[in-house]
Amino acid sequence: MSIDLSNFRDETVISLSVEGQLNKDSLEFNGRRIRFTEPIKYDGEIYKVGKEKYLHVNINYRYEEVCGRCLEAFSREDKTVLSGKLVEKENEIGLDEDEDLIYYYDERLELAEYVVDAIIVSLPMKPLCHEGCKGLCAKCGANRNKDDCQCVVEDIDPRFAILRDLFPRE
Ligand SMILES: [Zn+2]
Ligand SMILES: [Zn+2]
């Protein structure tokens, strides 16, 4: 995952292709757990604009996660983009903070952490097996995508529920 930037010492070199795979089994963040079912693939380039160097790579990944509504595992293929300006670690003072910066050190760029961060940002806020997932029945716990359990789920205001418990009907 370490990319050698020393080719850019040659002023005539204006781009460098970046391609590879990252083997990562799983990822845990915000109480979620994503399991990668195949290596994460990335493919793109580092290119020069004037004196500056920029990175742009496409990331493809396939993962498995548990649905936040029905609790069934689902798998999905997704993609995202990682791009930003390369900055040597020592020279980070006084930079324009609006830009996405990617740091390298000693002519080497370690991409793994940036790839993983880009994936975290691209994942949906809430894991869902599919958009219309009906979730679990609040009464019997059945997966309502598979089983139409016919339960009548009363939507009772909790304040009234307290009153109902205080004055149970005979
Ligand atoms: Zn679901
Ligand atoms: Zn039910």
Side-chain angles (χ1 to χ4, degrees):
M1 266 322 260
S2 175
I3 295 164
D4 182 5
L5 300 172
S6 62
N7 283 346
F8 283 111
R9 281 186 210 164
D10 178 349
E11 295 282 320
T12 61
V13 173
I14 54 162
S15 77
L16 183 71
S17 76
V18 175
E19 193 187 336
Q21 293 191 345
L22 169 62
N23 287 303
K24 194 168 172 64
D25 293 334
S26 63
L27 177 62
E28 285 178 52
F29 66 102
N30 295 343
R32 286 167 70 173
R33 188 168 188 278
I34 306 279
R35 203 173 67 79
F36 293 104
T37 50
E38 58 183 48
I40 299 162
K41 297 182 192 72
Y42 58 89
D43 174 19
E45 62 170 352
I46 294 169
Y47 57 97
K48 272 173 90 172
V49 178
K51 282 191 177 316
E52 308 292 356
K53 291 189 275 294
Y54 291 85
L55 170 89
H56 186 98
V57 292
N58 296 303
I59 300 168
N60 287 280
Y61 59 101
R62 190 179 268 282
Y63 70 100
E64 213 172 71
E65 192 176 9
V66 169
C67 174
R69 276 188 205 152
C70 70
L71 310 180
E72 294 276 328
F74 63 91
S75 66
R76 183 164 297 152
E77 193 172 359
D78 220 332
K79 55 178 187 254
T80 187
V81 168
L82 168 65
S83 64
K85 181 172 156 182
L86 296 198
V87 177
E88 186 150 21
K89 195 69 179 166
E90 291 119 332
N91 311 329
E92 60 192 273
I93 302 148
L95 290 163
D96 183 355
E97 306 229 338
D98 290 340
E99 275 188 287
D100 286 326
L101 303 179
I102 295 167
Y103 294 104
Y104 64 94
Y105 182 71
D106 207 13
E107 294 189 318
R108 301 204 75 86
L109 169 61
E110 303 294 339
L111 209 53
E113 211 177 299
Y114 290 104
V115 168
V116 171
D117 285 349
I119 289 174
I120 292 176
V121 170
S122 74
L123 286 164
M125 295 289 281
K126 192 178 164 73
L128 285 182
C129 61
H130 64 281
E131 205 49 52
C133 174
K134 294 176 189 160
L136 301 178
C137 170
K139 209 164 200 176
C140 74
N143 181 343
R144 297 190 58 242
N145 299 311
K146 294 177 182 165
D147 185 4
D148 195 5
C149 61
Q150 309 287 338
C151 292
V152 179
V153 179
E154 297 170 68
D155 211 358
I156 298 170
D157 186 310
R159 287 166 298 180
F160 293 123
I162 291 167
L163 288 176
R164 189 192 54 182
D165 292 343
L166 285 173
F167 304 105
R169 274 173 283 183
E170 296 298 320

